[in-house]
Amino acid sequence: MAEDAELDLFRQAVNCAAVLERMATGWKLDARESTRNALKYRRGAGEIIIVNHDGRGWWDAAGSAKGDVFNLVQHLDPSLNFGEVCRLLRGFVGIAPTFPPATRARAPAKADKTPAQRWAERERLTKGDPAWRYLAGARALPAAVLAYASRQDAVRLGAYDSAWFAHRVHGNVTQVEIRSPNFRGSLRGGRKTLFRFGAALDSFTRLVVLEAPIDALSLAAIERVRDDTVYVATGGGMGPGTLDALQDALVRLHVAGGVLISATDANAAGDRYAARHAELAGEAGVTFERLRPPEGCDWNDVVVKGRGA
């Protein structure tokens, strides 16, 4: 087989998901958060790879790596040269991933309503409602911060007494994260961008990036909601929408002469996210700082442990 034809065969007939499952240990499909067009694989805390383009592409949600099946093999084993990658891929031609057939075969889910429409139907966070009690009780968030979040319409009372957190772009809801004592997820059909809380986008000089909305509210509480700061949460790994929203905010921050602060969790995953934030800040010409909670903690852990202080 001619070399070019073989390379084209690898690109068309080798599924990135199959390579991920068989070449590297520990990667498991998160079926609940996967769709036909985006298979989410996890390994350890914060390690996420998304397989897309019907198995012909992938990207690292915790970093900047992405590409085709050749890039994936070298991402998983950087010691391999191109010839060794090709020899390995010969054994993967036609191999199907092991994820459940229902995930592989189902049509993309069509939500009856968009996250923005569902958000509009929910009541604003109000003192004493179930979401308020959860956030003030189990999460130890102070009433002043919750009232501020309600005024900014950053949090609403969701279904089954959950708290809903809005991701927005230019004020428009693009996705909704859901948290309750026994559930963590997102509404279907949305596009993850950034949860935002704090200063207006035309007046901030300090952008603090965290992983979860509850952590953003927690750090805001610790800092008494600084009026020069926008607290944002990525919802974990950074997808294309999140990256676009962060880069847009960094353009504004560069003009203002401000600083990007990565306040992700104090663990290996949080440090990987922080390294990526540092790269983005450098590309935008913005000063970068790392604000790290105590080892093994996130900022809500700090608030809960310091309850009443």
Side-chain angles (χ1 to χ4, degrees):
M1 181 181 294
E3 182 179 351
D4 288 347
E6 185 178 43
L7 298 183
D8 187 59
L9 173 66
F10 293 155
R11 292 189 180 96
Q12 298 300 320
V14 177
N15 193 303
C16 289
V19 172
L20 190 63
E21 291 174 351
R22 290 167 172 81
M23 183 179 166
T25 59
W27 289 99
K28 301 293 184 184
L29 180 74
D30 186 337
R32 187 176 63 82
E33 295 195 12
S34 296
T35 68
R36 180 183 176 86
N37 297 322
L39 301 172
K40 177 180 283 190
Y41 281 84
R42 296 181 181 273
R43 184 180 69 173
E47 291 187 275
I48 300 172
I49 286 180
I50 307 296
V51 175
N52 53 12
H53 301 305
D54 292 324
R56 292 192 291 275
W58 66 278
W59 52 276
D60 183 352
S64 59
K66 61 182 178 180
D68 59 15
V69 68
F70 297 98
N71 304 117
L72 177 60
V73 172
Q74 291 187 311
H75 179 71
L76 296 173
D77 188 350
S79 70
L80 298 178
N81 61 37
F82 189 73
E84 291 168 331
V85 170
C86 291
R87 286 194 290 274
L88 185 147
L89 289 177
R90 291 184 186 117
F92 282 97
V93 174
I95 299 296
T98 61
F99 54 76
T103 302
R104 185 164 56 246
R106 71 170 183 250
K110 293 184 178 179
D112 293 334
K113 297 177 181 178
T114 67
Q117 290 170 327
R118 294 184 65 183
W119 175 268
E121 295 173 349
R122 307 307 306 183
E123 296 180 2
R124 289 201 180 207
L125 186 69
T126 304
K127 186 174 182 179
D129 72 24
W132 183 293
R133 293 198 302 271
Y134 161 60
L135 295 172
R139 296 298 191 159
L141 292 173
V145 169
L146 296 179
Y148 196 155
S150 179
R151 291 195 299 273
Q152 291 201 330
D153 198 21
V155 187
R156 289 196 175 191
L157 171 62
Y160 305 106
D161 297 340
S162 62
W164 283 15
F165 302 87
H167 285 223
R168 281 190 167 92
V169 170
H170 304 305
N172 300 314
V173 176
T174 63
Q175 179 59 300
V176 174
E177 288 191 64
I178 305 169
R179 297 291 184 273
S180 74
N182 51 20
F183 182 79
R184 174 178 179 174
S186 302
L187 294 183
R188 280 187 172 183
R191 183 172 188 257
K192 187 170 70 168
T193 52
L194 288 173
F195 168 83
R196 304 169 188 260
F197 175 74
L201 284 179
D202 59 355
S203 63
F204 74 103
T205 57
R206 190 169 175 264
L207 179 69
V208 182
V209 185
L210 303 101
E211 296 178 47
I214 289 175
D215 291 329
L217 297 178
S218 297
L219 184 57
I222 292 169
E223 297 188 335
R224 303 187 188 279
V225 193
R226 288 179 50 154
D227 58 11
D228 62 349
T229 300
V230 174
Y231 302 89
V232 302
T234 63
M238 294 183 293
T242 304
L243 186 59
D244 288 346
L246 266 178
Q247 290 174 327
D248 180 66
L250 283 168
V251 170
R252 297 169 183 261
L253 197 62
H254 175 71
V255 173
V259 57
L260 170 68
I261 298 174
S262 182
T264 51
D265 300 352
N267 53 30
D271 291 339
R272 284 195 298 272
Y273 293 140
R276 180 58 176 142
H277 299 159
E279 291 176 3
L280 293 173
E283 292 166 3
V286 170
T287 301
F288 173 81
E289 295 178 8
R290 174 72 162 118
L291 183 61
R292 199 173 190 269
E295 185 63 37
C297 293
D298 59 36
W299 291 106
N300 188 243
D301 294 329
V302 175
V303 169
V304 170
K305 291 175 181 177
R307 185 192 301 267

